[in-house]
Amino acid sequence: MPEVLQGAGVSPGVGAGPVRTIAGAVPEPPAESRHGGDAEAERATALAALEAVAAELEERGTRAAAVGNPMGEEVLGAQAMMARDPGLADDVRARIDRGTGAARAVYEAFGVYRDLLAGAGEYMAARVTDLDDIRDRALARLLGLPMPGVPESDEPFVLVARDLAPADTAVLDPAQVIAFVTEEGGPTSHTAIIARTMGVPAVVALPGATSLADGTRVLVDGAAGTVRRDPSDADIAAARAAAAARAAALEDSTGPGATKDGHRVPLLANIGGPKDLDAAKANGAEGVGLYRTEFLFLDRQKAPTDEEQEAAYRAVLEAFPEGRVVVRTLDAGADKPLAFLPPPGEEPNPALGERGLRMSRRYPEVLAAQLGALARASAGLTAKLQVMAPMVTDAAEAAYFTAACREAGIAHPGVMIEVPAAALRARDIAPEVAFFSIGTNDLTQYACAADRQIGGLAHLQDPWQPAVLDLIAPAADAGVPCGVCGEAAADPALACVLVGLGVTSLSMSAPSLPLVRAALARHTLDECRQAAAAARAARTAAQAREAARAHLPGLAELGV
Ligand code: PEP
Ligand code: MG
C-alpha cells in the first residue's frame, strides 16, 4: 500500500491519529456447530455474552445522552432490553441443552425473533436491524471477532469505514473523532455532510481505506483528499501550517454575505437540528437555509410527538429572530430511510422510488402533523419561517404542497429543485410557490445518473458538470427567489458561479461559511457573472472549473 493514499477531500482541515475501523459483518456460525459436552459452562458463556452486550449498549446510551443525543439513548436503551429478554435467554438455554454450540444457539434463537418481527407488519419489521445488531455484537464476543459498529476507544481516533450511515454517527462523541476516512461515498454522501457539520476533516472514495490496520497512525488532509501513513512530525507540522495559513486569511471574513460591490447574498446554514445552532452562529450564519428535519426522526421507531417536533422547530426559529429559517419537510426514503415510513414495497432503485414529497403524499397525516407543529412553533416569533418540500417533480406536486402548507397556516411555501424535470420547467412551478431552493446534491445525482452513495462515481457527482449548471440557470431565472442548499454552495469558486447564475442565497454546512463569505467579498457581481458564463460555455466539469477560476482572481489569496 503506498505511503500516501489519494481520495476525495470533502471536509477541510488536518488531523493525525490512530485508525479505528468500523468492523464488517459477523459471519454466521456453522449450522452443525456443537459444544464439547459441558452444557452448563456453554450456557453460562452464552448468557454472559448477552448480558455484556446489554450492559455495553446501556453504557453507550448514557454516553449518547451525555453528548446531547437523547434519541441515541432511547434506541440503545431499547436494544439493551431486547438483549436481556427472558424468552430469548430460555431459547438459547434450550438449544445448548440439545448440544448446539453457544454462538450457533444465540444465532438461531435470534433467528426465531427475527422471523416473528419480520412477519409482524411494517412497524415491527423495521426493528429487525436493531435485533441483528444485538445478535452480531453477542456473536462477536463469543467468536472473539472485532465488535461491529462504531469502535470503542480510550483516545481520539481517525474513524475508517466502508461508508458511514447517519445511524452510525448518532452515538459519536465529536471530541473523540479526529477525522473520517471512507472507502465509499462521494462529496454529497452523508459522511461528507456529517463531517462538515461536525467541522471534522474527511476524505471519502479512498480505495482500500478499510485495509488500513487498526492502530496505524495516519495524517488526514481533508482539503487535499490525502491520507498519509505513519507521518513524521515534520509532515504533520507542514500540513498544520498550511491549514493555519488559510485560517488566517479568513479572519476578516465576518458580516453579512455580499459581493465586493455590495450585491447581497444571504449566507445561511444547513442544520440537522438545534444541536447544530452553535456552529451556525459561530460561523456567522444569517439564518438557516436548510433544516433537514429527518434527523429528528432517524433511529425512531415512531414519529416524534407533536410537542417534541414543535420544541425542536421553535428552538431553531428562536435562534434567528431577525433572520429566516427554511425548514424542509421529511425527506424520507433512499439514502435517508426512516423506520416508521417504509416504502410500499421492494424498490430496486430507491433513489428513484418513494422518497421526499412522494412519501409525504403516501403518509399525508405525517406531513400534516409536521406542518401543524411548524405553524405552532412559529406563532409569536419574529423569524421568517419558510417551509419547503424535497423531491418535487412538477407543478402539480408543488401545488399539492402549497395547499397543504396553506391549510396548516404556513405563509411561505417553497420547493426544492433537485429533480432535472423541475429545473427544466421551473417556470411552470414558480407561480405555485414563494421560493425555490436548489438541492445540487440530488440534482447532480439525477442529471448525471450517478448514485451519490457510490464512491466509484464521485467524478460524476460533480456539480461543476456544465449540464448541472445548465439546469440551475432556468431555476434561478424563473421569477422567484432561488437559493442553493446543496453542497455546491460550500465550494468557494462554485458559490461565486452560482451567484453569477442569479442564485439569491447560499446555504451550507456551517464550517464552510467563512471561506465562501471571503470568496464572495473578493469578487464583483460582474466577475461572478463572467465566471458563470465561462463555466457554462465549457465542455467538461474540469474545464468549467478552470474557466470560472480565470475570472475569480481573489481565490488565490484564500489558498483555494
Ligand atoms: C440536496 O440534494 O442537494 C440537498 C440539499 O438535500 P440532501 O442532501 O439532504 O438530499
Ligand atoms: Mg436532496
Side-chain angles (χ1 to χ4, degrees):
M1 190 183 267
E3 210 168 291
V4 180
L5 307 168
Q6 183 71 54
V10 293
S11 178
V14 165
V19 162
R20 294 277 183 280
T21 311
I22 293 195
V26 178
E28 175 182 337
E32 62 285 359
S33 139
R34 314 287 294 169
H35 62 73
D38 187 350
E40 196 179 327
E42 198 75 1
R43 281 197 306 260
T45 309
L47 297 180
L50 285 171
E51 174 50 34
V53 169
E56 186 214 321
L57 289 166
E58 225 165 37
E59 204 254 332
R60 279 160 53 99
T62 312
R63 272 189 289 129
V67 298
N69 183 355
M71 203 197 320
E73 184 187 24
E74 193 186 305
V75 175
L76 291 161
Q79 279 190 305
M81 270 171 65
M82 289 190 210
R84 288 203 177 104
D85 188 283
L88 178 78
D90 285 348
D91 194 337
V92 171
R93 277 194 207 96
R95 287 171 197 278
I96 292 178
D97 287 347
R98 292 198 294 272
T100 307
R104 182 70 198 179
V106 166
Y107 180 84
E108 288 178 1
F110 271 96
V112 174
Y113 273 62
R114 202 177 188 283
D115 293 346
L116 280 176
L117 281 183
E122 285 169 352
Y123 167 70
M124 296 308 270
R127 309 193 80 143
V128 165
T129 319
D130 292 355
L131 200 65
D132 287 350
D133 181 46
I134 307 166
R135 179 199 63 197
D136 288 350
R137 288 175 171 279
L139 290 179
R141 283 186 177 272
L142 290 167
L143 301 169
L145 296 172
M147 200 52 75
V150 172
E152 296 288 294
S153 176
D154 297 334
E155 56 176 339
F157 55 86
V158 173
L159 185 64
V160 175
R162 208 179 57 74
D163 200 2
L164 287 172
D168 290 326
T169 52
V171 294
L172 275 184
D173 175 357
Q176 279 252 299
V177 183
I178 296 170
F180 291 124
V181 177
T182 62
E183 215 157 281
E184 292 288 331
T188 58
S189 61
H190 276 283
T191 304
I193 293 169
I194 288 160
R196 282 189 215 117
T197 308
M198 287 171 69
V200 169
V203 175
V204 302
L206 188 94
T210 51
S211 328
L212 285 163
D214 248 40
T216 310
R217 289 194 73 76
V218 291
L219 169 64
V220 180
D221 186 332
T226 54
V227 174
R228 178 182 286 275
R229 285 189 305 138
D230 302 319
S232 66
D233 289 349
D235 292 331
I236 297 175
R240 292 221 159 106
R246 184 150 116 190
L250 292 182
E251 266 190 5
D252 62 341
S253 169
T254 54
T259 58
K260 193 171 170 179
D261 51 337
H263 171 72
R264 281 278 286 121
V265 183
L267 296 179
L268 311 165
N270 290 357
I271 66 167
K275 68 177 181 359
D276 298 331
L277 287 171
D278 286 350
K281 288 274 190 188
N283 287 288
E286 296 167 57
V288 169
L290 170 61
Y291 180 175
R292 289 184 164 99
T293 54
E294 55 283 347
F295 280 77
L296 191 63
F297 294 67
L298 280 174
D299 289 341
R300 297 289 191 113
Q301 301 304 331
K302 55 183 183 350
T305 62
D306 290 356
E307 293 71 34
E308 224 177 316
Q309 288 197 53
E310 199 179 316
Y313 304 149
R314 181 171 282 265
V316 175
L317 288 158
E318 279 173 347
F320 291 100
E322 326 263 271
R324 81 178 82 164
V325 171
V326 184
V327 179
R328 176 174 75 188
T329 55
L330 278 181
D331 189 12
D335 58 335
K336 309 176 194 80
L338 294 183
F340 62 94
L341 292 182
E346 188 64 20
E347 291 191 332
N349 297 299
L352 302 180
E354 300 248 1
R355 57 168 296 201
L357 183 65
R358 301 169 187 183
M359 193 70 103
S360 296
R361 294 187 76 163
R362 183 167 284 279
Y363 299 99
E365 67 290 351
V366 176
L367 176 65
Q370 188 173 25
L371 294 175
L374 280 163
R376 286 193 302 281
S378 70
L381 299 183
T382 51
K384 179 177 180 185
L385 170 67
Q386 299 182 283
V387 183
M388 63 184 182
M391 279 293 286
V392 170
T393 304
D394 63 13
E397 285 192 345
Y400 170 88
F401 184 70
T402 294
C405 284
R406 297 258 185 260
E407 191 158 321
I410 304 275
H412 306 288
V415 292
M416 289 193 72
I417 301 289
E418 47 187 358
V419 176
L424 284 169
R425 299 302 293 252
R427 63 180 187 281
D428 294 334
I429 300 178
E432 306 293 342
V433 296
F435 70 99
F436 287 158
S437 184
I438 303 180
T440 48
N441 306 338
D442 278 313
L443 187 60
T444 309
Q445 154 167 270
Y446 296 125
C448 300
D451 190 325
R452 61 194 278 192
Q453 299 200 90
I454 298 180
L457 298 178
H459 63 291
L460 291 174
Q461 252 298 319
D462 187 344
W464 280 101
Q465 287 282 352
V468 176
L469 303 178
D470 279 359
L471 288 169
I472 293 172
D477 191 36
V480 289
C482 177
V484 167
C485 64
E487 294 300 308
D491 172 336
L494 193 44
C496 294
V497 166
L498 293 170
V499 169
L501 288 172
V503 161
T504 53
S505 63
L506 296 169
S507 190
M508 65 206 77
S509 309
S512 304
L513 285 163
L515 194 56
V516 168
R517 189 183 294 113
L520 285 181
R522 279 167 174 75
H523 301 101
T524 62
L525 179 58
D526 200 45
E527 282 173 317
C528 293
R529 286 186 176 141
Q530 286 175 27
R536 282 188 75 189
R539 294 168 57 230
T540 66
Q543 285 168 10
R545 192 182 275 113
E546 201 180 320
R549 292 182 69 93
H551 295 276
L552 301 169
L555 293 177
E557 283 169 40
L558 299 169
V560 291

